[in-house]
Amino acid sequence: MGTILFHLLHVMYIIQDRIVGGYAPAPNSIKYIVSLQTTKGQHFCGGSLVHKYWVLTAAHCNIGTDEMMIVAGDYSLSMFEGTEQYSKPHRLIPHPLYNKTTNNADIMLIKMRVPMVMGSYVSLAPLPRQGTGVMAGRVCRVSGWGYTSLGEGQIPSTLRTVKLPIVSSARCNSSESFNGNITSNMICAGYNAGGKDACKGDSGGPLVCEGRVYGVVSWGNGCGDAKFPGVYTAVSKFRRWVDRTIYSSYTRCLKY
Ligand code: ARG
């Protein structure tokens, strides 16, 4: 009885200690993830490199061009590892339909001043095709430097990752959960029991399913709360907007 209780407490401790319930991936194994930092070097959001000049993130990570720095090739935020590449944003392009009350269309593209150089520590993230979905139950992975627990408010210095199943919009929108606040531009991922989730500071970061960034960390209810999965911007709904925005910036008429 004593040992069972001990094991139970131990398991609960692990779940509690890591509300996101994740672990540290191998250094530089997630090469498309970037850290968005203030010019003072404070991490505040994640993002994905989708082109050597472009980062995909959440619209609510918009703190203004002058305040922002993009760091690729990073793993430990507190250590200089020599693998990091830095760029200032040239232009921030939040989705025109972004609504900060409903969180609808919480997606943004950042054009960088200096392109990131692809290599052993930095690569591009593949995106899903327009309109494609992921089935409920499919296991995806979300990564970031966000809080490992909401209460303690700790930013971990090393990148963390956690595997989560996709939750159907019907269940996510049910009265026991988000009660109709999930739009068709959002997808949900998490366990009904909670314990594994993205959290504050993970926003803008990638939810990767089948090797593609299907979700951008957007919002939630607490972190890892039972019955409340994490809510992500459905990238496949914005694939055409992403392509149009990136490629039109290279034509004469629409110069970003
Ligand atoms: N909005 C939060 C941020 O600024 C992320 C929210 C994700 N929350 C969640 N429970 N999945 O970083």
Side-chain angles (χ1 to χ4, degrees):
M1 182 59 201
T3 47
I4 291 172
L5 195 60
F6 174 78
H7 283 299
L8 196 64
L9 285 171
H10 188 64
V11 166
M12 283 169 70
Y13 169 76
I14 292 166
I15 292 170
Q16 288 264 312
D17 191 47
R18 306 257 179 252
I19 294 244
V20 287
Y23 57 94
N28 307 101
S29 57
I30 304 172
K31 301 197 283 180
Y32 48 79
I33 197 165
V34 300
S35 162
L36 303 186
Q37 304 184 357
T38 64
T39 43
K40 294 195 179 78
Q42 182 68 52
H43 167 91
F44 67 93
C45 268
S48 305
L49 213 54
V50 294
H51 180 282
K52 63 180 179 177
Y53 269 105
W54 295 84
V55 166
L56 184 72
T57 185
H60 82 262
C61 296
N62 187 353
I63 62 161
T65 321
D66 298 340
E67 319 302 320
M68 198 189 284
M69 189 71 175
I70 299 130
V71 188
D74 215 347
Y75 181 64
S76 166
L77 296 178
S78 59
M79 262 193 289
F80 179 72
E81 294 146 307
T83 54
E84 298 90 345
Q85 294 185 44
Y86 303 87
S87 181
K88 294 276 297 169
H90 179 54
R91 181 146 185 176
L92 306 177
I93 307 162
H95 196 278
L97 294 179
Y98 171 56
N99 181 324
K100 63 171 187 287
T101 309
T102 62
N103 293 309
N104 193 41
D106 188 9
I107 193 165
M108 178 167 76
L109 280 162
I110 303 174
K111 169 113 191 243
M112 295 179 284
R113 286 198 176 278
V114 184
M116 297 297 183
V117 180
M118 302 304 123
S120 314
Y121 304 104
V122 176
S123 69
L124 301 181
L127 299 180
R129 293 208 308 274
Q130 178 74 28
T132 52
V134 222
M135 293 235 282
R138 272 322 262 265
V139 176
C140 306
R141 169 199 294 276
V142 61
S143 311
W145 287 274
Y147 285 17
T148 51
S149 96
L150 194 54
E152 276 135 63
Q154 276 292 331
I155 287 277
S157 61
T158 47
L159 183 64
R160 301 193 71 84
T161 190
V162 67
K163 288 178 188 166
L164 299 168
I166 295 292
V167 173
S168 72
S169 291
R171 216 177 85 203
C172 200
N173 243 336
S174 72
S175 54
E176 304 93 82
S177 195
F178 288 107
N179 197 22
N181 290 306
I182 305 303
T183 71
S184 61
N185 293 323
M186 300 172 187
I187 52 175
C188 301
Y191 291 93
N192 200 36
K196 295 188 179 200
D197 195 4
C199 197
K200 200 167 148 56
D202 289 320
S203 280
L207 175 75
V208 174
C209 317
E210 294 149 16
R212 293 170 195 271
V213 180
Y214 271 90
V216 166
V217 178
S218 179
W219 60 288
N221 177 73
C223 296
D225 291 9
K227 295 188 176 153
F228 289 95
V231 188
Y232 299 80
T233 311
V235 174
S236 73
K237 295 293 176 84
F238 298 100
R239 176 63 200 265
R240 273 202 285 266
W241 173 76
V242 168
D243 287 354
R244 240 188 297 117
T245 306
I246 293 179
Y247 293 105
S248 63
S249 83
Y250 294 102
T251 69
R252 274 180 301 135
C253 306
L254 229 169
K255 193 129 178 69
Y256 281 120

